[in-house]
Amino acid sequence: MNEPGDGTRCVHAGLPEPVPGQPFLPGPVFAAPYHLDPWQGPAGAPNGYGRPDNPTRRLLEAAIGELEGGDCRVFASGQAAITGLLLTVLRPGDTVVLPADGYYTVRAFASAALEAIGVRVLLAPTAGPYPSLDGVRLVLLETPANPGLDVVDVAALAERAHAAGALVAVDNTTATPLGQRPLDLGADLVVASGTKALTGHSDLLLGYLATRSPELLEAVTVWRNATGAIPGAFDAWLAHRSLATMDLRLGRQAANAEAVASLLAGRPDVTGLRWPGRPEDPSYAVASAQMRRMPGVLSFDLGDADRVARFVDAARLVVAATSFGGLHTTADRRAQWGDDTSPGFVRLSCGIEDTADLVADIAAALDAAGPAS
Ligand SMILES: Cc1ncc(COP(=O)(O)O)c(C=O)c1O
């Protein structure tokens, strides 16, 4: 068989070999302790205690690892994975470069917790320019960046960072492993929130880290198991079940984003439209060279907070919610969360509704919202 396509990979990722009489995806294993072999103790079985050991979690890790092209460890949330990475790799006196325009809670954590232990934190905009990387221990990239959707050339940055002796991690939340494979582009680590498009049903929180380095994997595993930042068995099972449809979900989300972007590009009452899949977008050249597919997320400006509220209120298919990548189309006015964005800036996450319905609804809601005051 040729190299399997994305749909095939998603459907089969992490599943055990077929056994007659057994389910395709084994159900969640709910266990804190497991029976131990009285003579051999924990060495006598793969599972001893639920914090380090859970077979449902291991199947999910196998699935995500297959899709990212590395070994994976899952965490209780994206933040647990990212903070786990930062605290595993960084020591007092180290320097870390973080995205100035990426997920804001990472910056908040860095200034609250990393600077307090003597880690120097440098911020760089995703689209650059990047500072000198001499003496830097870790560069965390987020591409496309949330919420502004700038992108960075991961291979070029990884080459620069490695020449300076720095590690490179990529937050792959917005792209997902179907959208880009940072480890293939030269990154040492991938971190991501699986809460978003990876699982896509708006019903769980999840994070993960993937790497091809046995040493980094071991260090992160020790951290994860010692801090207990693990997802529960039911969430791990739900996530694995949801992964199977990622190709289909992302396909519709991207088609919807493309159609909505065309609509918004033609409206004089919408400014600042960003979607990396539009040839006019500043991210297009790098995104189309490095990404395997475009995200379902776009951003734009409606002028002021009131107009955003009127727009969402008038829409039948767009609901106000934070997060993104789910089945339902959602709009989030990012300034309300403290992002450094203008009051009318909206991150719109396209769901899997029918494209024509969504475009018609958004057009009607913009008309109903009227102009900004
Ligand atoms: C790019 C990015 N990284 C990480 C996170 C954190 O993920 P979680 O909310 O699962 O902790 C988010 C959440 O919005 C995000 O957008």
Side-chain angles (χ1 to χ4, degrees):
M1 190 166 120
N2 294 334
E3 192 59 19
D6 286 355
T8 309
R9 293 165 59 231
C10 287
V11 167
H12 291 276
L15 294 186
E17 287 300 314
V19 174
Q22 295 299 315
F24 293 14
L25 174 64
V29 174
F30 299 115
Y34 301 82
H35 289 294
L36 289 180
D37 181 313
W39 284 273
Q40 294 190 64
N47 303 309
Y49 185 60
R51 183 155 29 77
D53 310 321
N54 183 281
T56 310
R57 209 160 65 214
R58 279 199 295 271
L59 289 181
L60 175 62
E61 290 174 339
I64 299 173
E66 271 177 53
L67 298 175
E68 286 286 5
D71 288 313
C72 170
R73 291 293 175 267
V74 290
F75 286 76
S77 68
Q79 270 302 106
I82 295 169
T83 57
L85 162 71
L86 297 173
L87 291 170
T88 302
V89 166
L90 298 169
R91 294 288 172 269
D94 283 348
T95 300
V96 62
V97 178
L98 300 178
D101 49 350
Y103 184 52
Y104 73 109
T105 310
V106 174
R107 284 193 303 283
F109 173 81
S111 58
L114 293 182
E115 288 182 341
I117 59 164
V119 172
R120 195 160 74 107
V121 178
L122 301 179
L123 299 180
T126 296
Y130 284 79
S132 161
L133 301 180
D134 289 342
V136 168
R137 170 75 179 133
L138 174 70
V139 182
L140 174 65
L141 305 174
E142 188 182 308
T143 180
N146 166 29
L149 303 175
D150 272 338
V151 305
V152 57
D153 182 336
V154 173
L157 228 294
E159 205 176 305
R160 262 189 72 188
H162 291 156
L167 291 170
V168 175
V170 174
D171 184 326
N172 211 20
T173 302
T174 304
T176 81
L178 298 189
Q180 78 197 353
R181 302 228 309 173
L183 300 178
D184 288 348
L185 299 170
D188 303 286
L189 299 132
V190 174
V191 280
S193 169
T195 311
K196 324 287 180 199
L198 185 90
T199 58
H201 286 66
S202 307
D203 53 8
L204 59 86
L205 278 94
L206 182 78
Y208 71 87
L209 178 147
T211 181
R212 291 175 184 164
S213 155
E215 295 77 28
L216 288 169
L217 185 75
E218 175 61 16
V220 162
T221 307
V222 167
W223 172 274
R224 197 272 313 263
N225 293 347
T227 57
I230 50 163
F234 189 60
D235 281 0
W237 180 82
L238 272 179
H240 199 161
R241 184 182 192 269
S242 303
L243 268 188
T245 55
M246 182 166 47
D247 172 58
L248 296 175
R249 289 185 278 107
L250 295 190
R252 176 62 69 83
Q253 287 169 344
N256 282 352
E258 182 170 14
V260 171
S262 306
L263 166 77
L264 298 181
R267 288 197 64 122
D269 56 349
V270 176
T271 59
L273 172 65
R274 294 299 308 270
W275 185 59
R278 285 187 77 229
E280 298 80 4
D281 193 275
S283 296
Y284 180 76
V286 178
S288 52
Q290 139 175 306
M291 297 184 69
R292 304 173 70 242
R293 52 169 87 196
M294 293 298 158
V297 181
L298 37 88
S299 61
F300 51 89
D301 203 315
L302 292 186
D304 61 42
D306 268 11
R307 184 162 181 244
V308 176
R310 291 199 302 275
F311 161 67
V312 179
D313 218 26
R316 286 177 310 114
L317 300 180
V318 182
V319 294
T322 195
S323 201
F324 52 91
L327 304 178
H328 311 83
T329 296
T330 58
D332 196 15
R333 196 177 69 77
R334 290 304 301 169
Q336 70 189 338
W337 299 97
D339 264 356
D340 185 19
T341 48
S342 61
F345 176 99
V346 176
R347 182 183 66 205
L348 187 89
S349 173
C350 292
I352 64 163
E353 297 88 352
D354 286 295
T355 306
D357 294 342
L358 187 60
V359 169
D361 189 52
I362 290 175
L366 284 171
D367 290 342
S373 40

PDB file of all heavy atoms in Angstrom, residues 318-347:
ATOM      1  N   VAL A 318     -23.278  31.260  14.919  1.00  0.00           N
ATOM      2  CA  VAL A 318     -22.012  31.662  15.548  1.00  0.00           C
ATOM      3  C   VAL A 318     -22.304  31.942  17.018  1.00  0.00           C
ATOM      4  O   VAL A 318     -23.129  32.804  17.318  1.00  0.00           O
ATOM      5  CB  VAL A 318     -21.440  32.944  14.896  1.00  0.00           C
ATOM      6  CG1 VAL A 318     -20.102  33.310  15.545  1.00  0.00           C
ATOM      7  CG2 VAL A 318     -21.296  32.769  13.392  1.00  0.00           C
ATOM      8  N   VAL A 319     -21.638  31.210  17.901  1.00  0.00           N
ATOM      9  CA  VAL A 319     -21.861  31.454  19.334  1.00  0.00           C
ATOM     10  C   VAL A 319     -20.607  32.059  19.947  1.00  0.00           C
ATOM     11  O   VAL A 319     -19.500  31.842  19.466  1.00  0.00           O
ATOM     12  CB  VAL A 319     -22.245  30.159  20.099  1.00  0.00           C
ATOM     13  CG1 VAL A 319     -23.590  29.646  19.640  1.00  0.00           C
ATOM     14  CG2 VAL A 319     -21.178  29.082  19.948  1.00  0.00           C
ATOM     15  N   ALA A 320     -20.834  32.854  20.998  1.00  0.00           N
ATOM     16  CA  ALA A 320     -19.701  33.441  21.720  1.00  0.00           C
ATOM     17  C   ALA A 320     -19.097  32.370  22.609  1.00  0.00           C
ATOM     18  O   ALA A 320     -19.789  31.776  23.437  1.00  0.00           O
ATOM     19  CB  ALA A 320     -20.175  34.622  22.554  1.00  0.00           C
ATOM     20  N   ALA A 321     -17.827  32.105  22.421  1.00  0.00           N
ATOM     21  CA  ALA A 321     -17.116  31.145  23.273  1.00  0.00           C
ATOM     22  C   ALA A 321     -15.633  31.319  23.026  1.00  0.00           C
ATOM     23  O   ALA A 321     -15.220  31.704  21.934  1.00  0.00           O
ATOM     24  CB  ALA A 321     -17.515  29.705  22.945  1.00  0.00           C
ATOM     25  N   THR A 322     -14.841  31.017  24.055  1.00  0.00           N
ATOM     26  CA  THR A 322     -13.406  31.003  23.819  1.00  0.00           C
ATOM     27  C   THR A 322     -13.038  29.587  23.365  1.00  0.00           C
ATOM     28  O   THR A 322     -13.902  28.775  23.101  1.00  0.00           O
ATOM     29  CB  THR A 322     -12.644  31.485  25.067  1.00  0.00           C
ATOM     30  OG1 THR A 322     -11.309  31.800  24.696  1.00  0.00           O
ATOM     31  CG2 THR A 322     -12.660  30.439  26.171  1.00  0.00           C
ATOM     32  N   SER A 323     -11.744  29.306  23.208  1.00  0.00           N
ATOM     33  CA  SER A 323     -11.299  28.050  22.611  1.00  0.00           C
ATOM     34  C   SER A 323     -11.617  28.076  21.116  1.00  0.00           C
ATOM     35  O   SER A 323     -12.221  29.037  20.600  1.00  0.00           O
ATOM     36  CB  SER A 323     -11.923  26.827  23.286  1.00  0.00           C
ATOM     37  OG  SER A 323     -11.130  25.672  23.031  1.00  0.00           O
ATOM     38  N   PHE A 324     -11.208  27.059  20.397  1.00  0.00           N
ATOM     39  CA  PHE A 324     -11.434  27.023  18.952  1.00  0.00           C
ATOM     40  C   PHE A 324     -11.219  25.597  18.455  1.00  0.00           C
ATOM     41  O   PHE A 324     -10.789  24.721  19.206  1.00  0.00           O
ATOM     42  CB  PHE A 324     -10.497  28.003  18.216  1.00  0.00           C
ATOM     43  CG  PHE A 324      -9.040  27.870  18.557  1.00  0.00           C
ATOM     44  CD1 PHE A 324      -8.210  27.046  17.825  1.00  0.00           C
ATOM     45  CD2 PHE A 324      -8.491  28.589  19.619  1.00  0.00           C
ATOM     46  CE1 PHE A 324      -6.863  26.927  18.133  1.00  0.00           C
ATOM     47  CE2 PHE A 324      -7.144  28.478  19.939  1.00  0.00           C
ATOM     48  CZ  PHE A 324      -6.333  27.644  19.193  1.00  0.00           C
ATOM     49  N   GLY A 325     -11.523  25.382  17.177  1.00  0.00           N
ATOM     50  CA  GLY A 325     -11.254  24.068  16.593  1.00  0.00           C
ATOM     51  C   GLY A 325     -12.371  23.062  16.783  1.00  0.00           C
ATOM     52  O   GLY A 325     -12.201  21.891  16.454  1.00  0.00           O
ATOM     53  N   GLY A 326     -13.534  23.492  17.295  1.00  0.00           N
ATOM     54  CA  GLY A 326     -14.617  22.555  17.571  1.00  0.00           C
ATOM     55  C   GLY A 326     -15.599  22.410  16.409  1.00  0.00           C
ATOM     56  O   GLY A 326     -15.470  23.036  15.360  1.00  0.00           O
ATOM     57  N   LEU A 327     -16.613  21.586  16.632  1.00  0.00           N
ATOM     58  CA  LEU A 327     -17.630  21.319  15.614  1.00  0.00           C
ATOM     59  C   LEU A 327     -18.504  22.533  15.342  1.00  0.00           C
ATOM     60  O   LEU A 327     -19.067  22.671  14.256  1.00  0.00           O
ATOM     61  CB  LEU A 327     -18.555  20.185  16.091  1.00  0.00           C
ATOM     62  CG  LEU A 327     -17.920  18.858  16.478  1.00  0.00           C
ATOM     63  CD1 LEU A 327     -19.006  17.900  16.976  1.00  0.00           C
ATOM     64  CD2 LEU A 327     -17.176  18.262  15.295  1.00  0.00           C
ATOM     65  N   HIS A 328     -18.651  23.403  16.365  1.00  0.00           N
ATOM     66  CA  HIS A 328     -19.544  24.551  16.257  1.00  0.00           C
ATOM     67  C   HIS A 328     -18.736  25.802  15.957  1.00  0.00           C
ATOM     68  O   HIS A 328     -17.649  25.989  16.504  1.00  0.00           O
ATOM     69  CB  HIS A 328     -20.298  24.763  17.579  1.00  0.00           C
ATOM     70  CG  HIS A 328     -20.933  23.515  18.118  1.00  0.00           C
ATOM     71  ND1 HIS A 328     -20.237  22.593  18.860  1.00  0.00           N
ATOM     72  CD2 HIS A 328     -22.180  23.034  17.992  1.00  0.00           C
ATOM     73  CE1 HIS A 328     -21.031  21.597  19.180  1.00  0.00           C
ATOM     74  NE2 HIS A 328     -22.223  21.835  18.660  1.00  0.00           N
ATOM     75  N   THR A 329     -19.277  26.675  15.137  1.00  0.00           N
ATOM     76  CA  THR A 329     -18.584  27.936  14.855  1.00  0.00           C
ATOM     77  C   THR A 329     -18.686  28.846  16.078  1.00  0.00           C
ATOM     78  O   THR A 329     -19.772  29.041  16.629  1.00  0.00           O
ATOM     79  CB  THR A 329     -19.191  28.603  13.614  1.00  0.00           C
ATOM     80  OG1 THR A 329     -18.962  27.748  12.503  1.00  0.00           O
ATOM     81  CG2 THR A 329     -18.542  29.961  13.352  1.00  0.00           C
ATOM     82  N   THR A 330     -17.531  29.376  16.492  1.00  0.00           N
ATOM     83  CA  THR A 330     -17.489  30.221  17.683  1.00  0.00           C
ATOM     84  C   THR A 330     -16.740  31.509  17.380  1.00  0.00           C
ATOM     85  O   THR A 330     -15.843  31.529  16.530  1.00  0.00           O
ATOM     86  CB  THR A 330     -16.786  29.509  18.862  1.00  0.00           C
ATOM     87  OG1 THR A 330     -15.457  29.140  18.465  1.00  0.00           O
ATOM     88  CG2 THR A 330     -17.541  28.268  19.300  1.00  0.00           C
ATOM     89  N   ALA A 331     -17.134  32.566  18.080  1.00  0.00           N
ATOM     90  CA  ALA A 331     -16.446  33.849  17.947  1.00  0.00           C
ATOM     91  C   ALA A 331     -15.962  34.272  19.323  1.00  0.00           C
ATOM     92  O   ALA A 331     -16.682  34.128  20.311  1.00  0.00           O
ATOM     93  CB  ALA A 331     -17.400  34.906  17.380  1.00  0.00           C
ATOM     94  N   ASP A 332     -14.750  34.783  19.369  1.00  0.00           N
ATOM     95  CA  ASP A 332     -14.185  35.211  20.650  1.00  0.00           C
ATOM     96  C   ASP A 332     -13.567  36.591  20.490  1.00  0.00           C
ATOM     97  O   ASP A 332     -12.664  36.776  19.667  1.00  0.00           O
ATOM     98  CB  ASP A 332     -13.123  34.199  21.108  1.00  0.00           C
ATOM     99  CG  ASP A 332     -12.767  34.357  22.579  1.00  0.00           C
ATOM    100  OD1 ASP A 332     -13.518  35.025  23.301  1.00  0.00           O
ATOM    101  OD2 ASP A 332     -11.737  33.787  22.993  1.00  0.00           O
ATOM    102  N   ARG A 333     -14.055  37.533  21.270  1.00  0.00           N
ATOM    103  CA  ARG A 333     -13.468  38.877  21.261  1.00  0.00           C
ATOM    104  C   ARG A 333     -12.298  38.833  22.230  1.00  0.00           C
ATOM    105  O   ARG A 333     -12.466  38.785  23.434  1.00  0.00           O
ATOM    106  CB  ARG A 333     -14.528  39.902  21.692  1.00  0.00           C
ATOM    107  CG  ARG A 333     -14.152  41.330  21.355  1.00  0.00           C
ATOM    108  CD  ARG A 333     -15.260  42.274  21.724  1.00  0.00           C
ATOM    109  NE  ARG A 333     -15.415  42.383  23.174  1.00  0.00           N
ATOM    110  CZ  ARG A 333     -14.600  43.093  23.975  1.00  0.00           C
ATOM    111  NH1 ARG A 333     -13.593  43.763  23.472  1.00  0.00           N
ATOM    112  NH2 ARG A 333     -14.813  43.115  25.276  1.00  0.00           N
ATOM    113  N   ARG A 334     -11.111  38.801  21.679  1.00  0.00           N
ATOM    114  CA  ARG A 334      -9.948  38.444  22.493  1.00  0.00           C
ATOM    115  C   ARG A 334      -9.582  39.482  23.540  1.00  0.00           C
ATOM    116  O   ARG A 334      -8.976  39.143  24.561  1.00  0.00           O
ATOM    117  CB  ARG A 334      -8.743  38.156  21.582  1.00  0.00           C
ATOM    118  CG  ARG A 334      -8.880  36.877  20.781  1.00  0.00           C
ATOM    119  CD  ARG A 334      -9.120  35.664  21.651  1.00  0.00           C
ATOM    120  NE  ARG A 334      -8.045  35.448  22.614  1.00  0.00           N
ATOM    121  CZ  ARG A 334      -8.112  34.585  23.619  1.00  0.00           C
ATOM    122  NH1 ARG A 334      -9.200  33.864  23.805  1.00  0.00           N
ATOM    123  NH2 ARG A 334      -7.102  34.442  24.436  1.00  0.00           N
ATOM    124  N   ALA A 335      -9.916  40.773  23.299  1.00  0.00           N
ATOM    125  CA  ALA A 335      -9.524  41.788  24.281  1.00  0.00           C
ATOM    126  C   ALA A 335     -10.166  41.506  25.647  1.00  0.00           C
ATOM    127  O   ALA A 335      -9.616  41.875  26.685  1.00  0.00           O
ATOM    128  CB  ALA A 335      -9.890  43.175  23.779  1.00  0.00           C
ATOM    129  N   GLN A 336     -11.324  40.813  25.646  1.00  0.00           N
ATOM    130  CA  GLN A 336     -11.993  40.552  26.930  1.00  0.00           C
ATOM    131  C   GLN A 336     -11.197  39.593  27.808  1.00  0.00           C
ATOM    132  O   GLN A 336     -11.435  39.482  29.003  1.00  0.00           O
ATOM    133  CB  GLN A 336     -13.416  40.021  26.706  1.00  0.00           C
ATOM    134  CG  GLN A 336     -13.469  38.618  26.140  1.00  0.00           C
ATOM    135  CD  GLN A 336     -14.883  38.212  25.717  1.00  0.00           C
ATOM    136  OE1 GLN A 336     -15.866  38.764  26.177  1.00  0.00           O
ATOM    137  NE2 GLN A 336     -14.983  37.232  24.844  1.00  0.00           N
ATOM    138  N   TRP A 337     -10.236  38.875  27.215  1.00  0.00           N
ATOM    139  CA  TRP A 337      -9.391  37.952  27.982  1.00  0.00           C
ATOM    140  C   TRP A 337      -8.040  38.572  28.320  1.00  0.00           C
ATOM    141  O   TRP A 337      -7.183  37.911  28.902  1.00  0.00           O
ATOM    142  CB  TRP A 337      -9.160  36.660  27.201  1.00  0.00           C
ATOM    143  CG  TRP A 337     -10.433  35.933  26.914  1.00  0.00           C
ATOM    144  CD1 TRP A 337     -11.161  35.981  25.767  1.00  0.00           C
ATOM    145  CD2 TRP A 337     -11.154  35.067  27.797  1.00  0.00           C
ATOM    146  NE1 TRP A 337     -12.280  35.208  25.871  1.00  0.00           N
ATOM    147  CE2 TRP A 337     -12.299  34.619  27.111  1.00  0.00           C
ATOM    148  CE3 TRP A 337     -10.931  34.620  29.101  1.00  0.00           C
ATOM    149  CZ2 TRP A 337     -13.225  33.758  27.679  1.00  0.00           C
ATOM    150  CZ3 TRP A 337     -11.851  33.757  29.664  1.00  0.00           C
ATOM    151  CH2 TRP A 337     -12.994  33.336  28.955  1.00  0.00           C
ATOM    152  N   GLY A 338      -7.803  39.793  27.867  1.00  0.00           N
ATOM    153  CA  GLY A 338      -6.524  40.435  28.189  1.00  0.00           C
ATOM    154  C   GLY A 338      -5.496  40.338  27.076  1.00  0.00           C
ATOM    155  O   GLY A 338      -4.363  40.769  27.248  1.00  0.00           O
ATOM    156  N   ASP A 339      -5.861  39.765  25.898  1.00  0.00           N
ATOM    157  CA  ASP A 339      -4.928  39.772  24.767  1.00  0.00           C
ATOM    158  C   ASP A 339      -4.699  41.209  24.322  1.00  0.00           C
ATOM    159  O   ASP A 339      -5.598  42.048  24.423  1.00  0.00           O
ATOM    160  CB  ASP A 339      -5.504  38.986  23.581  1.00  0.00           C
ATOM    161  CG  ASP A 339      -4.998  37.560  23.541  1.00  0.00           C
ATOM    162  OD1 ASP A 339      -4.155  37.209  24.386  1.00  0.00           O
ATOM    163  OD2 ASP A 339      -5.455  36.796  22.672  1.00  0.00           O
ATOM    164  N   ASP A 340      -3.503  41.463  23.810  1.00  0.00           N
ATOM    165  CA  ASP A 340      -3.160  42.807  23.365  1.00  0.00           C
ATOM    166  C   ASP A 340      -3.740  43.033  21.965  1.00  0.00           C
ATOM    167  O   ASP A 340      -3.007  43.141  20.984  1.00  0.00           O
ATOM    168  CB  ASP A 340      -1.633  42.936  23.370  1.00  0.00           C
ATOM    169  CG  ASP A 340      -1.201  44.340  23.028  1.00  0.00           C
ATOM    170  OD1 ASP A 340      -2.044  45.255  23.141  1.00  0.00           O
ATOM    171  OD2 ASP A 340      -0.031  44.505  22.633  1.00  0.00           O
ATOM    172  N   THR A 341      -5.075  43.045  21.876  1.00  0.00           N
ATOM    173  CA  THR A 341      -5.743  43.208  20.588  1.00  0.00           C
ATOM    174  C   THR A 341      -6.730  44.363  20.702  1.00  0.00           C
ATOM    175  O   THR A 341      -7.136  44.728  21.807  1.00  0.00           O
ATOM    176  CB  THR A 341      -6.520  41.923  20.205  1.00  0.00           C
ATOM    177  OG1 THR A 341      -7.302  41.505  21.330  1.00  0.00           O
ATOM    178  CG2 THR A 341      -5.592  40.791  19.815  1.00  0.00           C
ATOM    179  N   SER A 342      -7.142  44.906  19.556  1.00  0.00           N
ATOM    180  CA  SER A 342      -8.070  46.038  19.598  1.00  0.00           C
ATOM    181  C   SER A 342      -9.444  45.553  20.086  1.00  0.00           C
ATOM    182  O   SER A 342      -9.751  44.354  20.013  1.00  0.00           O
ATOM    183  CB  SER A 342      -8.167  46.666  18.208  1.00  0.00           C
ATOM    184  OG  SER A 342      -8.663  45.704  17.323  1.00  0.00           O
ATOM    185  N   PRO A 343     -10.294  46.494  20.577  1.00  0.00           N
ATOM    186  CA  PRO A 343     -11.567  46.074  21.199  1.00  0.00           C
ATOM    187  C   PRO A 343     -12.490  45.302  20.258  1.00  0.00           C
ATOM    188  O   PRO A 343     -13.275  44.463  20.700  1.00  0.00           O
ATOM    189  CB  PRO A 343     -12.222  47.406  21.602  1.00  0.00           C
ATOM    190  CG  PRO A 343     -11.129  48.413  21.607  1.00  0.00           C
ATOM    191  CD  PRO A 343     -10.065  47.940  20.673  1.00  0.00           C
ATOM    192  N   GLY A 344     -12.388  45.548  18.944  1.00  0.00           N
ATOM    193  CA  GLY A 344     -13.284  44.870  18.010  1.00  0.00           C
ATOM    194  C   GLY A 344     -12.667  43.651  17.345  1.00  0.00           C
ATOM    195  O   GLY A 344     -13.254  43.071  16.412  1.00  0.00           O
ATOM    196  N   PHE A 345     -11.478  43.218  17.829  1.00  0.00           N
ATOM    197  CA  PHE A 345     -10.785  42.076  17.221  1.00  0.00           C
ATOM    198  C   PHE A 345     -11.507  40.772  17.581  1.00  0.00           C
ATOM    199  O   PHE A 345     -11.748  40.485  18.756  1.00  0.00           O
ATOM    200  CB  PHE A 345      -9.338  42.039  17.725  1.00  0.00           C
ATOM    201  CG  PHE A 345      -8.543  40.850  17.243  1.00  0.00           C
ATOM    202  CD1 PHE A 345      -7.677  40.976  16.167  1.00  0.00           C
ATOM    203  CD2 PHE A 345      -8.639  39.616  17.874  1.00  0.00           C
ATOM    204  CE1 PHE A 345      -6.925  39.893  15.723  1.00  0.00           C
ATOM    205  CE2 PHE A 345      -7.904  38.522  17.439  1.00  0.00           C
ATOM    206  CZ  PHE A 345      -7.051  38.662  16.360  1.00  0.00           C
ATOM    207  N   VAL A 346     -11.802  39.972  16.556  1.00  0.00           N
ATOM    208  CA  VAL A 346     -12.533  38.707  16.757  1.00  0.00           C
ATOM    209  C   VAL A 346     -11.709  37.551  16.206  1.00  0.00           C
ATOM    210  O   VAL A 346     -11.186  37.625  15.091  1.00  0.00           O
ATOM    211  CB  VAL A 346     -13.871  38.734  15.981  1.00  0.00           C
ATOM    212  CG1 VAL A 346     -14.603  37.398  16.106  1.00  0.00           C
ATOM    213  CG2 VAL A 346     -14.755  39.858  16.456  1.00  0.00           C
ATOM    214  N   ARG A 347     -11.606  36.495  16.994  1.00  0.00           N
ATOM    215  CA  ARG A 347     -11.078  35.231  16.462  1.00  0.00           C
ATOM    216  C   ARG A 347     -12.295  34.358  16.171  1.00  0.00           C
ATOM    217  O   ARG A 347     -13.083  34.060  17.071  1.00  0.00           O
ATOM    218  CB  ARG A 347     -10.167  34.561  17.488  1.00  0.00           C
ATOM    219  CG  ARG A 347      -9.541  33.263  16.955  1.00  0.00           C
ATOM    220  CD  ARG A 347      -8.708  32.571  18.013  1.00  0.00           C
ATOM    221  NE  ARG A 347      -9.549  32.097  19.103  1.00  0.00           N
ATOM    222  CZ  ARG A 347      -9.134  31.896  20.344  1.00  0.00           C
ATOM    223  NH1 ARG A 347      -7.901  32.142  20.697  1.00  0.00           N
ATOM    224  NH2 ARG A 347      -9.977  31.461  21.277  1.00  0.00           N
TER     225      ARG A 347
END
